[in-house]
């Protein structure tokens, strides 16, 4: 037990503490670090230029999350509604693509969205003769890549509560005169909020710090927080600012995780009520 | 769930079909193109293995593959040993604190890029020359966490009285571990190792930051990233197909041994 803890302390706790400390130092004149205490780096995070990148990252990650949740929930619902013995099979195949390399899955989208890619080919085949549409190196391509890469996890996260739903609840709701839409909105959806929240947080957190997808599908023209951190460390050699950006990224993640915990708590309270718990 | 109208059922099947098409078409296109004589998505010009042959002659890719194998094997071996011991230690003494729990789970939660820059800063501050060895040190950090959690899941249903019985019968701690504990948890240990191996083979960001300069420590994902950025050659399709086949096989095996998170 001890060697593992030593390993984790030496190669995780210490380096992470180091990055935290770095954020409070000045950048040296020739790169490197000047060991004078400063809060400038955190101030710079709120500079309109960088704050703009934060907002843009949040917007891209938020859009990807929304789309992934809608598609993922629909898929999870359909799987949960399939015959029992087929459900594990569907679930397995829904997660299988997730087990291949992230870069390869992203590259697959370059192949599809390329000027001469499959989508352009399909359009031609349907009689389209104009310029190939520019789909690669756009914000839409980045969002598509993020949705594609993280969708399997949303399906898993939403399937768990959906498969555990008591069918009698939906029947009861219908017997009491609720339409299918009302039953979904007032019974099924609230009971599955924890799954949705877990899936959404996963997509959002991984998307907002991502730098590979914007670099490959955005063609380097789309800076997100991850790319900014990458640049500060590997190009601009401004480690203190890069460290401050990383801390800001972690702060956003913690906020999102706290929001999720709160949503899950409220939903579980409601679930207890809906299930006729005496503590409700 | 309750019985459904035919329209509802049709809609559900349509949703499933569309989602699976979305998930599998990009991958299928890639795999198909790897066997395309011309190699470019423009047109199908006949079945060919030429991209696989040319991969076998690409020295940059072969050396990257060898590096990946070294990193994955060594970091998996270390992580499996340490992670298993950690799991046993934690499960035997149930009264561990929240801090320890957080320490074990942290590497699975910390964003890759943060761990990557943290390790880069750390290695350069202690003046450690970076290369394959630093990638291995880094990969053990997150592999350890995954092995530990897989083995711990198995240990939850472990009957500790058999360990006591073994000790009562005069076996040393080592003999007990080798002949009693290990055989029971072995499937989980192998599952954890397979998971760690695959994660290590596929890992890009941390390796990218901790590899240091120079091509000598380029791993396969780093090579793939460079190939994608420098322009698309049909060789990537063949390489992608092979890497995908290896990961999926290893993880399917790992799931089976672990009796799956999925499929229960």
């Amino acid at each position: 037990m001890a060697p593992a803890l030593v390993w984790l302390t030496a190669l995780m706790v210490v380096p992470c503490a180091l990055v935290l400390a770095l954020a409070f130092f000045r950048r040296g004149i020739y790169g490197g670090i000047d060991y004078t205490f400063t809060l400038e780096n955190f101030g710079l995070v709120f500079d309109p230029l960088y704050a703009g990148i934060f907002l843009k990252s949040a917007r891209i990650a938020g859009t990807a999350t929304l789309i992934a949740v809608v598609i993922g929930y629909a898929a999870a619902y359909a799987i949960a509604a399939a015959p029992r013995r087929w459900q594990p099979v569907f679930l397995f195949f829904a997660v299988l693509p997730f087990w291949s390399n992230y870069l390869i899955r992203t590259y697959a989208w370059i192949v599809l969205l390329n000027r001469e890619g499959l989508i352009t080919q399909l359009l031609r085949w349907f009689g389209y003769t104009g310029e190939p549409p520019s789909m690669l190196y756009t914000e839409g391509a980045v969002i598509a890549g993020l949705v594609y890469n993280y969708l399997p996890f949303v399906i898993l996260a939403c399937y768990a509560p959906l498969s555990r739903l008591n069918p009698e609840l939906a029947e009861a709701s219908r017997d009491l005169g609720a339409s299918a839409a009302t039953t979904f909105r007032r019974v099924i959806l609230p009971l599955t909020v924890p799954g949705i929240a877990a899936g959404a947080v996963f997509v959002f957190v991984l998307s907002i710090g991502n730098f590979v997808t914007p670099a490959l599908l955005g063609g380097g023209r789309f800076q997100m927080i991850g790319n900014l951190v990458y640049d500060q460390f590997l190009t601009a050699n401004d480690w203190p600012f890069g460290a401050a950006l990383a801390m800001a990224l972690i702060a956003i993640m913690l906020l999102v995780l706290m929001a999720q915990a709160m949503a899950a708590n409220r939903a579980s309270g409601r679930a207890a009520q809906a299930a006729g718990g005496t503590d409700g | 769930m309750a019985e459904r109208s035919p329209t509802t059922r049709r809609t559900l099947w349509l949703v499933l079909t569309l989602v699976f098409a979305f998930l599998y078409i990009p991958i299928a296109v890639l795999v198909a193109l790897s066997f395309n004589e011309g190699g470019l998505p423009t047109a199908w010009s006949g079945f060919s293995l030429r991209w696989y042959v040319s991969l076998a002659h690409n020295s940059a890719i072969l050396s990257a593959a060898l590096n990946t194998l070294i990193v994955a094997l060594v970091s998996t071996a270390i992580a499996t040993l340490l992670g298993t011991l950690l799991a046993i230690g934690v499960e035997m003494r149930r009264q561990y604190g929240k801090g320890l729990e957080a320490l074990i789970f942290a590497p699975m939660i910390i964003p890759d890029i943060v761990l990557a820059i943290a390790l880069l800063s750390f290695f350069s501050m202690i003046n450690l020359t970076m290369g394959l060895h630093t990638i291995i040190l880094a990969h053990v950090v997150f592999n350890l966490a995954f092995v530990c959690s897989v083995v711990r899941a198995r240990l939850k249903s472990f009957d500790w009285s058999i360990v006591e019985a073994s000790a009562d019968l005069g076996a040393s701690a080592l003999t007990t571990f080798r002949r009693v504990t290990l055989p029971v948890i072995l499937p989980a240990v192998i599952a954890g190792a397979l998971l760690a191996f695959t994660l290590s083979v596929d890992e890009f960001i941390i390796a990218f930051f901790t590899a240091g300069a120079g091509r000598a420590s380029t791993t396969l994902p780093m090579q793939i990233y460079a190939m994608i950025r420098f322009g698309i050659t049909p060789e990537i399709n063949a390489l992608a197909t092979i890497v995908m086949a290896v990961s999926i096989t290893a993880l399917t095996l790992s799931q089976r041994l672990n009796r799956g998170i999925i499929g229960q």
Side-chain angles (χ1 to χ4, degrees), chain A residues 84-100:
Chain A
R84 273 258 166 238
R85 65 200 169 94
W86 283 104
Q87 291 182 18
V89 180
F90 287 148
L91 217 51
F92 176 81
F93 282 103
V95 183
L96 194 63
F98 197 66
W99 291 353
S100 63

Side-chain angles (χ1 to χ4, degrees), chain A residues 4 22 35 53 86 111 160 167 184 243 260-261:
Chain A
L22 267 181
Y35 292 96
I53 294 177
W86 283 104
V111 173
F184 177 74
Q260 182 218 354

Side-chain angles (χ1 to χ4, degrees), chain A residues 13-28 31-45 229 232-234 237-248, chain B residues 113-126 209:
Chain A
V13 179
V14 172
C16 286
L18 185 70
V19 171
L20 179 63
L22 267 181
F24 292 98
F25 291 122
R26 230 178 265 281
R27 181 195 179 190
I33 299 130
D34 171 7
Y35 292 96
T36 6
F37 178 85
T38 177
L39 288 174
E40 263 170 30
N41 300 308
F42 292 102
L44 203 53
V45 170
V229 175
Q232 298 309 316
F233 272 85
L234 293 186
N237 208 17
D238 188 349
W239 289 14
F241 180 48
L245 286 169
M247 289 304 136
Chain B
I113 186 147
V114 174
L115 193 56
I117 59 165
L119 286 161
L120 167 67
S121 320
F122 178 65
F123 290 144
S124 75
M125 209 155 281
I126 60 170
F209 277 82

Side-chain angles (χ1 to χ4, degrees), chain B residues 44-58:
Chain B
W44 180 259
S45 46
F47 179 88
S48 155
L49 289 174
R50 60 181 284 213
W51 303 115
Y52 290 88
V53 175
S54 93
L55 263 191
H57 296 288
N58 186 325

Side-chain angles (χ1 to χ4, degrees), chain B:
Chain B
M1 290 192 187
E3 77 286 1
R4 288 156 201 289
S5 71
T7 342
T8 320
R9 223 176 306 138
R10 261 201 300 275
T11 317
L12 290 173
W13 281 111
L14 182 69
V15 167
L16 269 187
T17 314
L18 287 176
V19 169
F20 278 106
F22 176 67
L23 285 174
Y24 282 92
I25 286 175
I27 292 178
V29 168
L30 208 63
V31 174
L33 283 180
S34 77
F35 296 107
N36 186 9
E37 171 78 47
L40 292 168
T42 347
W44 180 259
S45 46
F47 179 88
S48 155
L49 289 174
R50 60 181 284 213
W51 303 115
Y52 290 88
V53 175
S54 93
L55 263 191
H57 296 288
N58 186 325
S59 62
I61 288 172
L62 290 181
S63 96
L66 182 66
N67 284 340
T68 299
L69 208 59
I70 294 170
V71 168
L73 285 175
V74 178
S75 68
T76 299
I78 299 173
T80 305
L81 181 68
L82 297 187
T84 305
L85 292 177
L86 179 64
I88 294 173
V90 169
E91 285 302 310
M92 263 170 81
R93 277 166 251 158
R94 292 271 176 157
Q95 66 283 19
Y96 43 84
K98 275 233 188 302
L100 180 60
E101 198 80 349
L103 184 67
I104 296 171
F105 274 110
M108 309 206 291
I109 299 162
I110 296 177
D112 289 358
I113 186 147
V114 174
L115 193 56
I117 59 165
L119 286 161
L120 167 67
S121 320
F122 178 65
F123 290 144
S124 75
M125 209 155 281
I126 60 170
N127 282 321
L128 186 63
T129 318
M130 287 186 257
L132 283 187
H133 55 284
T134 41
I135 305 180
I136 291 170
L137 287 174
H139 277 196
V140 171
V141 174
F142 63 81
N143 278 344
L144 190 63
F146 283 98
V147 172
C148 179
S149 69
V150 171
V151 175
R152 274 181 75 185
R154 177 85 176 199
L155 282 172
K156 290 263 187 275
S157 58
F158 187 75
D159 180 8
W160 292 101
S161 64
I162 60 172
V163 173
E164 280 162 36
S166 165
D168 288 347
L169 291 169
S172 69
L174 193 68
T175 312
T176 303
F177 175 73
R178 200 166 48 83
R179 312 230 4 210
V180 179
T181 317
L182 191 59
V184 177
I185 60 170
L186 195 61
V189 174
I190 298 173
L194 281 167
L195 178 65
F197 182 81
T198 327
L199 288 172
S200 191
V201 164
D202 277 348
E203 205 285 323
F204 165 65
I205 297 169
I206 294 170
F208 190 64
F209 277 82
T210 56
R215 299 193 53 84
S217 48
T218 299
T219 64
L220 211 47
M222 289 161 69
Q223 178 71 25
I224 293 173
Y225 185 72
M227 283 166 81
I228 298 173
R229 294 217 76 175
F230 285 129
I232 294 156
T233 76
E235 272 182 349
I236 312 182
N237 301 329
L239 183 57
T241 305
I242 295 173
V243 172
M244 219 150 39
V246 171
S247 318
I248 287 176
T249 311
L251 274 168
T252 309
L253 219 61
S254 165
Q255 283 281 319
R256 294 218 130 188
L257 281 166
N258 208 24
R259 284 192 246 116
I261 308 157
I262 309 154
Q264 277 198 333

Side-chain angles (χ1 to χ4, degrees), chain A residues 30-248:
Chain A
Y30 307 106
I33 299 130
D34 171 7
Y35 292 96
T36 6
F37 178 85
T38 177
L39 288 174
E40 263 170 30
N41 300 308
F42 292 102
L44 203 53
V45 170
F46 294 100
D47 182 276
L49 175 65
Y50 300 114
I53 294 177
F54 269 81
L55 286 177
K56 188 178 179 180
S57 306
R59 191 185 67 219
I60 292 179
T63 314
T65 303
L66 195 68
I67 298 173
V69 164
V70 171
I71 302 178
Y73 192 89
Y77 191 94
I79 293 175
R84 273 258 166 238
R85 65 200 169 94
W86 283 104
Q87 291 182 18
V89 180
F90 287 148
L91 217 51
F92 176 81
F93 282 103
V95 183
L96 194 63
F98 197 66
W99 291 353
S100 63
N101 188 292
Y102 186 92
L103 293 168
I104 292 174
R105 277 178 281 148
T106 306
Y107 167 68
W109 280 85
I110 297 185
V111 173
L112 282 185
L113 299 177
N114 216 323
R115 281 175 69 86
E116 291 305 320
L118 190 76
I119 295 179
T120 307
Q121 299 296 319
L122 272 177
L123 286 175
R124 292 250 161 82
W125 195 70
F126 282 114
Y128 176 85
T129 49
E131 269 285 289
S134 47
M135 291 171 293
L136 195 55
Y137 309 140
T138 61
E139 200 171 303
V142 176
I143 292 170
L146 293 171
V147 170
Y148 183 74
N149 276 307
Y150 300 132
L151 183 64
F153 194 85
V154 182
I155 297 179
L156 266 191
C158 292
Y159 171 79
L162 277 168
S163 67
R164 267 187 268 113
L165 271 187
N166 185 347
E168 284 170 18
L169 285 175
E171 262 168 55
S173 165
R174 225 171 311 154
D175 289 347
L176 292 169
S179 68
T182 311
T183 302
F184 177 74
R185 197 167 49 83
R186 310 242 348 223
V187 179
I188 298 177
L189 198 59
L191 286 172
T192 48
V193 163
I196 299 174
V201 164
F202 183 83
V203 180
F204 187 82
V205 162
L206 287 176
S207 296
I208 198 165
N210 201 304
F211 83 88
V212 171
T213 305
L216 294 180
L217 293 176
R221 278 187 286 167
F222 284 88
Q223 281 249 321
M224 283 174 63
I225 307 171
N227 309 81
L228 211 53
V229 175
Y230 170 97
D231 282 346
Q232 298 309 316
F233 272 85
L234 293 186
T235 319
N237 208 17
D238 188 349
W239 289 14
F241 180 48
L245 286 169
M247 289 304 136

